[in-house]
Amino acid sequence: MSTLFDTLCPMHARLGAHGHIVHAGPTLQRIHPEGDLRGRRFLELFEMRRPVKGHSMEALRAASGLPLRLRMRQPPGLALKGVLVALGPDSPVGPAGGALVNLSFAIALPEAVRAFDLTRADFAATDLAIEMLYLIEAKTMTMDALHKANMRLQGGKTEAEQKAFTDTLTGLGNRRLLERVATRLIAGERDFALLSLDLDFFKAVNYSLGHAAGDHVLRAAAQAMLEETRSDDTVLRFGGDEFVLILTGMTRRAEVDEFARRLIARLEAPIIHQGEA
């Protein structure tokens, strides 16, 4: 008889007349790994929430046939559902005055699987929990795939935006970025200074030394501007040898003039290309 119930109802317990467990199904025993449950009082392991009132075997038997709500007293304190059948004197499955209880994890199934490392073997073959586990696993895999696809899409979008607002030669922002940055600062009511700068005699470098030398000069000038500005500032290549600098929070004329003089002095320093200045 015990083998039959263990196969059909692995979460069942047979109780004696005083509420002690006479036999526990294999899955019920698995979620209480502290030892053999036989001889333990059922109500010491499970807290009855409803509809039972009281903590006696008589109160349990009075709930025969009614849906039960229980909670495990041991961590993680899972909520369970169950049904109890009171056993009479002629019952072939247990002692007179006892009861047969069958439990289910219900909506706590995913948490129970994680907490106790349950597998298909811990459930009856006809238990809908198996299908629910498959659905949960399929949902998890689908959500994971969607998340990864969304991350790739977002990454591609971010990369495309960065390319759209970046000057490929110098790595600075381009003229498209100017409106975006200025709009953001204005919307945030942040003060800023706007400087326009171009490189004198740059065309002569291109004509006399070639475009490779000209590109080198532009990259060196861009690096100098980045080193002279702060993290909150923005340096843009507007086109050709024209640059725009947005200096956040710098609005005093004397401060801006001092910055401009320092930057011009830095840019007037010789730039070495292939061993020549």
Side-chain angles (χ1 to χ4, degrees), residues 201-274:
F201 311 113
F202 175 73
K203 291 181 180 179
V205 175
N206 272 337
Y207 291 151
S208 61
L209 300 177
H211 287 287
D215 290 348
H216 178 73
V217 169
L218 289 173
R219 286 192 290 265
Q223 183 61 35
M225 295 180 206
L226 289 174
E227 292 175 359
E228 291 296 330
T229 51
R230 305 159 302 174
S231 60
D232 285 346
D233 299 331
T234 304
V235 183
L236 312 167
R237 184 187 176 203
F238 206 67
D241 64 342
E242 298 178 355
F243 296 84
V244 171
L245 295 87
I246 301 175
L247 309 177
T248 305
M250 190 183 295
T251 56
R252 292 192 301 112
R253 181 59 180 265
E255 188 179 13
V256 175
D257 287 347
E258 173 59 27
F259 169 80
R261 283 193 293 268
R262 186 172 67 251
L263 180 59
I264 291 172
R266 173 76 180 271
L267 295 174
E268 287 178 341
I271 297 174
I272 306 302
H273 177 64
Q274 295 183 349

Side-chain angles (χ1 to χ4, degrees), residues 25 41 50 72 101 104 109 117 149 151 175 177 185 266:
R41 287 193 71 244
R50 64 176 188 269
M72 294 178 59
V101 186
S104 167
L109 175 64
D117 196 25
M151 293 298 292
R175 66 171 62 200
L177 187 61
L185 292 172
R266 173 76 180 271

Side-chain angles (χ1 to χ4, degrees), residues 15-18 57 61 86-99:
L15 310 182
H18 300 290
M57 188 59 187
R61 286 175 57 84
L87 303 179
D90 299 326
S91 174
V93 299

